[in-house]
Amino acid sequence: MSKSAKLIAYFSRAGENYSSGGIVDLPVGNTEVAARIIQKLTGGDIFRIDPVTSYPQGYQEATEVAREELHRDARPALSVHVDNMGDYGEIYLGYPNWWGTMPMAVFTFLEAHDFSGKTIVPFCTHEGSGMGRSERDIGRVCTGATVSKGLAIRGSLVSRAEKDIADWLGKTK
Ligand SMILES: Cc1cc2nc3c(=O)[nH]c(=O)nc-3n(C[C@H](O)[C@H](O)[C@H](O)COP(=O)(O)O)c2cc1C
């Protein structure tokens, strides 16, 4: 495999979520929908960032667990890691905006691998806060990596975002 191979690594939580002013029950999380579109358009490999302990299905409970993890600067354990990270030159990193940044499980993922010399291309789904402070946080954790301009997609519009994603991918090349 060439070093320029692409990896799409994402965290996404299916279940109850807040969307356009109400609560919806998502069978597939919004970030996963975006990750699959990116996978289709780039032909990269796809990897799910999967915490050992799942987040609650209920929206309210999930926000409480996430807030507590953020305050504690927690690093939730992951069930699996990428053992061939050396093969990839470009990593599309996807996550929902949780309390203004990435879920703490994404910090666990970033700290578990060496991204120096690689390009990280962030994408995020959200309900109003955009990328928040996530790009800065990625740059802080992944020393030696180049962090490209990310794409923020409103979660409730993700199924209609293919054109925006394709345009953005054109600019990240
Ligand atoms: C724990 C939690 C915290 C969230 N915090 C924010 C936030 O700070 N800003 C925001 O715009 N959206 C926030 N949201 C909404 C999610 O970012 C949005 O619904 C996203 O598309 C969910 O992606 P997923 O389905 O891939 O998990 C939050 C959702 C959850 C469950």
Side-chain angles (χ1 to χ4, degrees):
M1 206 183 282
S2 95
K3 258 217 149 196
S4 61
K6 295 173 169 52
L7 178 71
I8 299 117
Y10 72 95
F11 172 94
S12 185
R13 174 187 151 274
E16 268 185 21
N17 219 323
Y18 179 80
S19 177
S20 304
I23 298 289
V24 290
D25 196 359
L26 300 173
V28 177
N30 294 326
T31 312
E32 180 164 348
V33 174
R36 287 183 185 172
I37 294 171
I38 294 171
Q39 201 273 330
K40 186 179 88 175
L41 294 174
T42 63
D45 295 337
I46 196 155
F47 175 80
R48 183 187 184 91
I49 299 170
D50 183 34
V52 172
T53 307
S54 311
Y55 290 92
Q57 150 86 11
Y59 172 70
Q60 236 10 287
E61 295 91 319
T63 59
E64 278 152 31
V65 172
R67 186 173 46 188
E68 187 273 329
E69 284 188 354
L70 176 67
H71 286 167
R72 186 157 63 79
D73 201 20
R75 294 293 182 273
L78 304 181
S79 61
V80 61
H81 292 284
V82 177
D83 49 22
N84 63 332
M85 191 59 89
D87 293 343
Y88 300 104
E90 209 170 18
I91 291 92
Y92 292 84
L93 180 71
Y95 46 86
N97 184 323
W98 278 11
W99 295 108
T101 188
M102 306 167 279
M104 300 319 285
V106 181
F107 286 80
T108 309
F109 172 78
L110 294 177
E111 288 175 359
H113 300 92
D114 178 9
F115 293 97
S116 52
K118 301 183 190 296
T119 301
I120 300 181
V121 190
F123 62 99
C124 161
T125 70
H126 67 98
E127 269 310 312
S129 314
M131 304 295 290
R133 53 186 185 279
S134 63
E135 289 161 301
R136 250 174 302 149
D137 286 344
I138 296 167
R140 191 166 45 79
V141 175
C142 302
T143 44
T146 303
V147 183
S148 298
K149 179 93 193 92
L151 178 69
I153 307 164
R154 193 172 272 268
S156 43
L157 301 178
V158 74
S159 56
R160 284 178 271 154
E162 182 158 337
K163 185 177 179 308
D164 288 347
I165 293 174
D167 289 348
W168 167 73
L169 285 173
K171 288 179 203 135
T172 66
K173 277 177 197 142

